[in-house]
Each structure stands twice: as C-alpha cells, then as structure tokens.
Coordinates of all heavy atoms in Angstrom, one line a residue:
M1 N 0.8 -1.2 0.0 CA 0.0 0.0 0.0 C 0.9 1.2 0.0 O 1.8 1.4 0.8 CB -0.9 0.0 1.2 CG -1.9 1.0 1.3 SD -3.0 0.8 2.7 CE -4.5 0.3 1.8
T2 N 0.6 2.1 -0.9 CA 1.4 3.3 -1.0 C 1.0 4.3 0.1 O 0.0 4.2 0.8 CB 1.2 4.0 -2.4 OG1 -0.1 4.5 -2.4 CG2 1.6 3.1 -3.5
K3 N 1.9 5.3 0.3 CA 1.6 6.3 1.3 C 0.3 7.0 1.1 O -0.5 7.3 2.0 CB 2.8 7.3 1.4 CG 2.7 8.3 2.5 CD 3.0 7.6 3.8 CE 3.2 8.6 4.9 NZ 3.3 8.0 6.2
K4 N 0.0 7.3 -0.2 CA -1.2 8.0 -0.6 C -2.4 7.2 -0.2 O -3.4 7.7 0.3 CB -1.2 8.3 -2.1 CG -2.4 9.0 -2.6 CD -2.4 9.3 -4.1 CE -3.7 9.9 -4.5 NZ -3.7 10.0 -6.0
E5 N -2.3 5.9 -0.5 CA -3.5 5.0 -0.2 C -3.7 4.9 1.3 O -4.8 4.8 1.8 CB -3.2 3.6 -0.8 CG -3.3 3.6 -2.3 CD -2.9 2.3 -2.9 OE1 -2.1 1.6 -2.3 OE2 -3.4 2.0 -4.0
E6 N -2.5 4.8 2.1 CA -2.7 4.8 3.5 C -3.3 6.0 4.1 O -4.2 5.9 5.0 CB -1.3 4.6 4.2 CG -0.6 3.3 3.9 CD 0.8 3.2 4.5 OE1 1.2 4.1 5.3 OE2 1.5 2.2 4.2
I7 N -3.0 7.2 3.6 CA -3.6 8.4 4.0 C -5.1 8.5 3.6 O -5.9 8.8 4.5 CB -2.9 9.6 3.4 CG1 -1.5 9.8 3.9 CG2 -3.6 10.9 3.6 CD1 -0.6 10.7 3.2
E8 N -5.4 8.0 2.4 CA -6.8 8.0 2.0 C -7.6 7.0 2.9 O -8.7 7.3 3.3 CB -6.9 7.5 0.6 CG -8.3 7.6 0.0 CD -8.4 7.2 -1.5 OE1 -7.3 7.2 -2.1 OE2 -9.5 6.9 -1.9
L9 N -7.0 5.9 3.2 CA -7.7 4.9 4.1 C -7.9 5.5 5.5 O -9.0 5.4 6.1 CB -6.9 3.6 4.2 CG -7.6 2.5 4.9 CD1 -8.9 2.1 4.3 CD2 -6.6 1.3 4.9
A10 N -6.9 6.2 6.0 CA -7.1 6.9 7.3 C -8.1 7.9 7.3 O -8.9 8.0 8.3 CB -5.7 7.5 7.7
L11 N -8.2 8.7 6.2 CA -9.3 9.7 6.1 C -10.6 9.1 6.0 O -11.6 9.6 6.6 CB -9.0 10.6 4.9 CG -7.8 11.5 5.0 CD1 -7.6 12.2 3.6 CD2 -8.0 12.6 6.1
L12 N -10.7 8.0 5.3 CA -12.0 7.3 5.2 C -12.5 6.7 6.6 O -13.6 6.8 6.9 CB -11.9 6.1 4.2 CG -12.0 6.5 2.7 CD1 -11.7 5.3 1.8 CD2 -13.3 7.1 2.4
R13 N -11.5 6.2 7.3 CA -11.9 5.7 8.7 C -12.3 6.8 9.6 O -13.3 6.7 10.3 CB -10.6 5.0 9.3 CG -10.4 3.6 8.6 CD -9.2 2.9 9.3 NE -9.1 1.6 8.7 CZ -7.9 1.0 8.5 NH1 -6.8 1.6 8.8 NH2 -7.9 -0.2 7.9
R14 N -11.7 8.0 9.5 CA -12.1 9.1 10.3 C -13.5 9.6 9.9 O -14.3 9.9 10.7 CB -11.1 10.3 10.1 CG -11.5 11.5 10.9 CD -10.5 12.6 10.7 NE -9.3 12.3 11.4 CZ -8.2 13.1 11.2 NH1 -8.2 14.1 10.5 NH2 -7.1 12.7 11.9
K15 N -13.7 9.6 8.5 CA -15.1 10.0 8.1 C -16.1 9.0 8.6 O -17.2 9.4 9.0 CB -15.1 10.0 6.5 CG -16.4 10.5 6.0 CD -16.2 10.9 4.5 CE -17.5 11.5 4.0 NZ -17.7 12.9 4.4
R16 N -15.8 7.7 8.6 CA -16.7 6.7 9.1 C -17.0 7.0 10.5 O -18.2 6.9 10.9 CB -16.1 5.3 8.9 CG -17.0 4.2 9.5 CD -16.2 2.8 9.5 NE -15.1 3.0 10.4 CZ -14.1 2.1 10.5 NH1 -14.1 1.1 9.7 NH2 -13.1 2.3 11.3
N17 N -16.0 7.2 11.3 CA -16.2 7.5 12.7 C -17.1 8.8 12.9 O -18.0 8.8 13.8 CB -14.9 7.7 13.5 CG -14.1 6.4 13.6 OD1 -14.7 5.3 13.4 ND2 -12.8 6.5 13.8
D18 N -16.8 9.8 12.2 CA -17.6 11.0 12.2 C -19.1 10.8 11.9 O -20.0 11.3 12.5 CB -17.0 12.1 11.3 CG -15.7 12.6 11.8 OD1 -15.3 12.4 13.0 OD2 -15.0 13.3 11.0
L19 N -19.3 10.0 10.8 CA -20.7 9.7 10.4 C -21.4 8.8 11.4 O -22.6 9.1 11.7 CB -20.6 8.9 9.1 CG -20.4 9.7 7.8 CD1 -20.1 8.8 6.6 CD2 -21.5 10.7 7.5
E20 N -20.7 7.9 12.1 CA -21.3 7.1 13.1 C -21.7 8.0 14.3 O -22.8 7.8 14.8 CB -20.4 6.0 13.5 CG -20.2 4.9 12.5 CD -19.2 3.9 12.8 OE1 -18.3 4.1 13.7 OE2 -19.2 2.8 12.2
K21 N -20.9 8.9 14.7 CA -21.2 9.8 15.8 C -22.4 10.7 15.4 O -23.3 10.9 16.2 CB -20.0 10.7 16.1 CG -18.9 10.0 16.8 CD -17.7 10.9 17.0 CE -16.5 10.2 17.6 NZ -15.4 11.1 17.7
E22 N -22.4 11.2 14.2 CA -23.5 12.1 13.7 C -24.8 11.3 13.6 O -25.9 11.8 14.0 CB -23.2 12.7 12.4 CG -24.2 13.7 11.8 CD -24.4 14.9 12.7 OE1 -23.5 15.2 13.5 OE2 -25.4 15.6 12.5
I23 N -24.8 10.1 13.2 CA -26.0 9.2 13.1 C -26.5 9.0 14.5 O -27.7 9.0 14.8 CB -25.7 7.9 12.4 CG1 -25.5 8.2 10.9 CG2 -26.8 6.9 12.6 CD1 -25.1 7.0 10.1
A24 N -25.6 8.7 15.5 CA -26.0 8.5 16.9 C -26.7 9.8 17.4 O -27.7 9.7 18.1 CB -24.8 8.1 17.7
R25 N -26.2 10.9 17.1 CA -26.7 12.2 17.6 C -28.1 12.4 17.0 O -29.1 12.8 17.7 CB -25.8 13.4 17.2 CG -26.3 14.7 17.7 CD -25.4 15.9 17.2 NE -25.8 16.2 15.8 CZ -26.8 16.9 15.4 NH1 -27.7 17.4 16.3 NH2 -27.0 17.2 14.1
V26 N -28.3 12.1 15.7 CA -29.6 12.3 15.0 C -30.6 11.3 15.6 O -31.7 11.7 15.9 CB -29.4 12.1 13.5 CG1 -30.8 12.1 12.8 CG2 -28.6 13.3 12.9
K27 N -30.2 10.1 15.9 CA -31.1 9.1 16.4 C -31.5 9.5 17.8 O -32.7 9.3 18.2 CB -30.5 7.7 16.4 CG -30.4 7.1 15.1 CD -29.9 5.7 15.1 CE -30.0 5.0 13.7 NZ -29.5 3.7 13.8
D28 N -30.6 10.1 18.6 CA -31.0 10.5 19.9 C -32.0 11.7 19.9 O -32.9 11.7 20.7 CB -29.7 11.0 20.7 CG -28.8 9.9 21.2 OD1 -29.3 8.7 21.2 OD2 -27.7 10.1 21.5
K29 N -31.8 12.6 18.9 CA -32.8 13.7 18.7 C -34.1 13.1 18.3 O -35.2 13.6 18.8 CB -32.3 14.7 17.7 CG -31.1 15.4 18.1 CD -31.4 16.4 19.2 CE -30.1 17.2 19.6 NZ -30.4 18.2 20.6
H30 N -34.1 12.1 17.5 CA -35.4 11.5 17.1 C -36.1 10.8 18.3 O -37.3 10.8 18.4 CB -35.2 10.4 16.0 CG -35.1 11.0 14.6 ND1 -36.2 10.9 13.8 CD2 -34.1 11.7 14.0 CE1 -35.8 11.5 12.6 NE2 -34.6 12.0 12.8
K31 N -35.3 10.2 19.2 CA -35.9 9.6 20.4 C -36.7 10.6 21.2 O -37.7 10.2 21.8 CB -34.8 8.9 21.2 CG -34.3 7.6 20.6 CD -33.3 7.0 21.5 CE -32.7 5.8 20.9 NZ -31.6 5.2 21.7
V32 N -36.2 11.8 21.3 CA -36.9 12.8 22.1 C -37.8 13.7 21.3 O -38.2 14.7 21.8 CB -35.9 13.6 23.0 CG1 -35.1 12.8 24.0 CG2 -34.9 14.4 22.0
N33 N -38.0 13.3 20.1 CA -38.9 14.0 19.1 C -38.5 15.5 19.0 O -39.3 16.3 18.9 CB -40.3 13.9 19.6 CG -40.9 12.5 19.5 OD1 -40.5 11.7 18.6 ND2 -41.7 12.1 20.5
D34 N -37.2 15.7 18.9 CA -36.7 17.0 18.6 C -36.4 17.2 17.1 O -35.3 17.2 16.6 CB -35.4 17.3 19.4 CG -34.9 18.7 19.3 OD1 -35.6 19.6 18.8 OD2 -33.8 19.0 19.8
Y35 N -37.5 17.4 16.4 CA -37.4 17.4 14.9 C -37.1 18.8 14.4 O -36.9 19.0 13.2 CB -38.7 16.9 14.2 CG -38.9 15.5 14.5 CD1 -39.9 15.1 15.4 CD2 -38.2 14.5 13.9 CE1 -40.1 13.7 15.7 CE2 -38.4 13.2 14.2 CZ -39.4 12.8 15.1 OH -39.6 11.5 15.3
A36 N -37.0 19.8 15.3 CA -36.6 21.2 14.9 C -35.2 21.2 14.5 O -34.8 22.0 13.6 CB -36.9 22.1 16.0
E37 N -34.3 20.3 15.1 CA -32.9 20.4 14.8 C -32.5 19.4 13.7 O -31.6 19.6 12.9 CB -32.1 20.1 16.1 CG -30.7 20.4 15.9 CD -29.9 20.3 17.3 OE1 -30.5 20.7 18.3 OE2 -28.8 19.8 17.3
V38 N -33.2 18.2 13.6 CA -32.8 17.2 12.6 C -34.1 16.7 12.0 O -35.2 16.9 12.5 CB -32.1 16.0 13.3 CG1 -30.7 16.5 13.8 CG2 -32.9 15.4 14.4
N39 N -34.0 16.0 10.8 CA -35.1 15.4 10.2 C -34.8 14.0 9.7 O -33.6 13.6 9.7 CB -35.6 16.3 9.1 CG -34.6 16.5 8.0 OD1 -33.8 15.6 7.7 ND2 -34.7 17.6 7.3
T40 N -35.8 13.3 9.3 CA -35.7 11.9 9.0 C -34.8 11.7 7.7 O -34.0 10.8 7.6 CB -37.1 11.2 8.8 OG1 -37.8 11.5 9.9 CG2 -36.9 9.8 8.5
C41 N -35.0 12.6 6.8 CA -34.2 12.6 5.5 C -32.7 12.7 5.8 O -31.9 12.0 5.2 CB -34.7 13.7 4.6 SG -33.8 13.7 3.0
Q42 N -32.4 13.5 6.7 CA -31.0 13.7 7.1 C -30.4 12.3 7.6 O -29.3 11.9 7.3 CB -30.9 14.7 8.2 CG -29.4 15.0 8.7 CD -29.4 16.0 9.8 OE1 -30.4 16.4 10.3 NE2 -28.2 16.4 10.2
L43 N -31.2 11.6 8.4 CA -30.8 10.3 8.9 C -30.5 9.3 7.8 O -29.5 8.6 7.8 CB -31.8 9.8 9.9 CG -31.5 8.4 10.5 CD1 -30.2 8.5 11.3 CD2 -32.7 8.0 11.4
F44 N -31.4 9.3 6.8 CA -31.3 8.3 5.7 C -30.0 8.7 4.9 O -29.3 7.8 4.4 CB -32.5 8.3 4.8 CG -33.7 7.8 5.5 CD1 -35.0 8.4 5.3 CD2 -33.7 6.6 6.2 CE1 -36.1 7.8 5.9 CE2 -34.8 6.1 6.8 CZ -36.0 6.7 6.7
I45 N -29.8 10.0 4.7 CA -28.6 10.4 3.9 C -27.3 10.0 4.6 O -26.4 9.5 4.0 CB -28.7 11.9 3.6 CG1 -29.8 12.2 2.6 CG2 -27.4 12.4 3.1 CD1 -30.1 13.7 2.5
L46 N -27.3 10.2 5.9 CA -26.1 9.9 6.7 C -25.9 8.4 6.7 O -24.7 8.0 6.5 CB -26.3 10.4 8.1 CG -26.2 11.9 8.3 CD1 -26.6 12.2 9.8 CD2 -24.8 12.4 8.0
E47 N -26.9 7.6 6.8 CA -26.7 6.2 6.8 C -26.3 5.7 5.4 O -25.5 4.8 5.3 CB -28.0 5.5 7.2 CG -28.3 5.6 8.7 CD -29.7 5.0 9.1 OE1 -30.6 4.8 8.2 OE2 -29.8 4.7 10.3
D48 N -26.8 6.3 4.4 CA -26.3 5.9 3.0 C -24.9 6.3 2.8 O -24.1 5.5 2.2 CB -27.2 6.7 2.0 CG -26.9 6.2 0.6 OD1 -26.9 4.9 0.4 OD2 -26.7 7.0 -0.3
R49 N -24.4 7.4 3.3 CA -23.0 7.8 3.2 C -22.1 6.9 4.0 O -21.1 6.5 3.5 CB -22.8 9.2 3.7 CG -23.3 10.3 2.8 CD -22.9 11.7 3.4 NE -23.5 12.7 2.6 CZ -23.7 13.9 3.1 NH1 -23.3 14.3 4.3 NH2 -24.3 14.8 2.3
L50 N -22.6 6.5 5.1 CA -21.8 5.5 6.0 C -21.7 4.2 5.3 O -20.6 3.6 5.2 CB -22.5 5.4 7.3 CG -21.9 4.4 8.3 CD1 -20.5 4.9 8.6 CD2 -22.7 4.2 9.5
R51 N -22.8 3.7 4.6 CA -22.7 2.5 3.9 C -21.7 2.6 2.8 O -20.9 1.6 2.6 CB -24.1 2.1 3.3 CG -24.4 0.7 3.1 CD -25.8 0.4 2.7 NE -26.7 1.1 3.7 CZ -27.7 2.0 3.4 NH1 -27.9 2.3 2.1 NH2 -28.4 2.5 4.3
F52 N -21.7 3.7 2.1 CA -20.7 3.9 1.0 C -19.3 3.9 1.5 O -18.4 3.3 0.9 CB -21.0 5.2 0.2 CG -20.0 5.5 -0.8 CD1 -20.0 4.9 -2.0 CD2 -19.0 6.5 -0.6 CE1 -19.1 5.2 -3.0 CE2 -18.1 6.8 -1.5 CZ -18.1 6.2 -2.7
V53 N -19.0 4.6 2.6 CA -17.7 4.7 3.1 C -17.2 3.3 3.6 O -16.1 3.0 3.4 CB -17.6 5.7 4.3 CG1 -16.3 5.7 5.0 CG2 -17.8 7.1 3.7
K54 N -18.1 2.6 4.2 CA -17.7 1.2 4.7 C -17.3 0.3 3.5 O -16.4 -0.5 3.6 CB -18.8 0.6 5.5 CG -18.9 1.2 6.9 CD -20.0 0.5 7.7 CE -20.1 0.9 9.1 NZ -21.1 0.2 9.9
K55 N -18.1 0.4 2.4 CA -17.8 -0.4 1.2 C -16.4 0.0 0.7 O -15.6 -0.8 0.3 CB -18.9 -0.2 0.1 CG -20.1 -0.9 0.3 CD -21.1 -0.7 -0.8 CE -22.4 -1.2 -0.6 NZ -23.3 -0.9 -1.7
K56 N -16.2 1.3 0.6 CA -14.9 1.8 0.1 C -13.7 1.3 0.9 O -12.7 0.9 0.4 CB -14.9 3.3 -0.1 CG -13.7 3.8 -0.8 CD -14.0 5.1 -1.5 CE -12.8 5.5 -2.2 NZ -13.0 6.4 -3.3
I57 N -13.9 1.4 2.2 CA -12.8 0.9 3.2 C -12.6 -0.6 2.9 O -11.5 -1.0 2.9 CB -13.2 1.2 4.6 CG1 -13.2 2.7 4.9 CG2 -12.3 0.5 5.6 CD1 -13.7 3.1 6.2
A58 N -13.7 -1.4 2.9 CA -13.6 -2.8 2.7 C -12.8 -3.1 1.3 O -12.0 -4.0 1.3 CB -14.9 -3.5 2.7
R59 N -13.2 -2.4 0.3 CA -12.5 -2.6 -1.0 C -11.0 -2.3 -0.9 O -10.2 -3.0 -1.5 CB -13.2 -1.7 -2.1 CG -14.3 -2.4 -2.8 CD -14.7 -1.6 -4.0 NE -15.9 -0.9 -3.6 CZ -16.2 0.4 -3.8 NH1 -15.3 1.1 -4.4 NH2 -17.3 0.9 -3.3
M60 N -10.7 -1.2 -0.2 CA -9.3 -0.8 -0.1 C -8.5 -1.8 0.7 O -7.4 -2.2 0.4 CB -9.2 0.6 0.5 CG -9.6 1.7 -0.5 SD -9.3 3.3 0.2 CE -7.6 3.5 0.1
E61 N -9.1 -2.3 1.8 CA -8.4 -3.3 2.6 C -8.3 -4.6 1.9 O -7.3 -5.3 2.0 CB -9.2 -3.5 3.9 CG -9.0 -2.3 4.8 CD -9.9 -2.4 6.1 OE1 -10.8 -3.2 6.1 OE2 -9.6 -1.6 7.0
K62 N -9.3 -5.0 1.1 CA -9.2 -6.2 0.3 C -8.2 -6.1 -0.8 O -7.4 -7.0 -1.0 CB -10.6 -6.5 -0.3 CG -10.6 -7.8 -1.1 CD -12.0 -8.1 -1.6 CE -12.0 -9.4 -2.4 NZ -13.3 -9.6 -3.1
H63 N -8.1 -5.0 -1.4 CA -7.1 -4.7 -2.5 C -5.7 -4.7 -1.9 O -4.8 -5.1 -2.6 CB -7.4 -3.4 -3.2 CG -6.5 -3.0 -4.2 ND1 -6.2 -3.9 -5.3 CD2 -5.7 -1.9 -4.4 CE1 -5.3 -3.3 -6.1 NE2 -5.0 -2.1 -5.6
D64 N -5.5 -4.3 -0.7 CA -4.2 -4.3 -0.1 C -3.7 -5.7 0.2 O -2.5 -5.9 0.1 CB -4.3 -3.5 1.3 CG -3.0 -3.4 1.9 OD1 -2.0 -3.1 1.2 OD2 -2.9 -3.6 3.2
E65 N -4.5 -6.7 0.4 CA -4.0 -8.0 0.7 C -3.4 -8.7 -0.4 O -3.2 -8.5 -1.5 CB -5.2 -8.9 1.2 CG -5.7 -8.4 2.5 CD -7.0 -9.2 2.9 OE1 -7.4 -10.1 2.2 OE2 -7.5 -8.9 4.0

C-alpha cells in the first residue's frame, strides 16, 4: 500500500467515525422528538453515506491483501 493509499484509508476511517457519531446524535434527537434540529431525511442520507464509506474501506483493505 502506498503512502497516498494509507492516507486515504485513514481519512475514510475518520469519516466513518464522524458519520457514526452524527448518526447517533440524530437518532438521539429522534428519540426525544426534537425534529426542529434534525429530520428523517438527514438520517437516511447519513446512513447511506456511511454504507458507501464502509464499502470503500472494505474494497481498499481487500485490495491491499
């Protein structure tokens, strides 16, 4: 794995962690019915982005082997 790929993988992992935190925050807001700050569409978009990032990380790790 080249240095560029390692950096890209590290950035993807950081993005994954950030997305997981944001999803947890949005779900907590939904639990208390605080829809003024977040909405359901936002949750679906975040989960879709997270799925994409996880796939890309898996592909990069598989390609590395």
Side-chain angles (χ1 to χ4, degrees):
M1 186 175 254
T2 66
K3 187 70 171 173
K4 180 182 175 187
E5 290 171 334
E6 289 176 13
I7 292 170
E8 186 177 343
L9 187 58
L11 289 172
L12 284 172
R13 287 182 176 144
R14 180 181 289 171
K15 183 164 185 77
R16 179 190 62 195
N17 292 340
D18 292 345
L19 283 170
E20 287 172 346
K21 288 177 187 175
E22 183 67 15
I23 288 171
R25 185 186 75 80
V26 170
K27 284 184 177 182
D28 286 342
K29 293 291 182 178
H30 275 258
K31 284 181 186 176
V32 295
N33 294 325
D34 187 7
Y35 296 105
E37 193 172 321
V38 295
N39 61 31
T40 306
C41 182
Q42 180 183 7
L43 180 61
F44 292 138
I45 291 170
L46 289 171
E47 288 176 339
D48 189 49
R49 285 184 188 161
L50 179 61
R51 205 171 311 121
F52 174 78
V53 168
K54 284 182 176 180
K55 281 183 189 178
K56 189 155 182 156
I57 289 172
R59 268 188 261 131
M60 287 184 76
E61 289 174 344
K62 183 179 178 186
H63 178 54
D64 183 41
E65 293 175 359

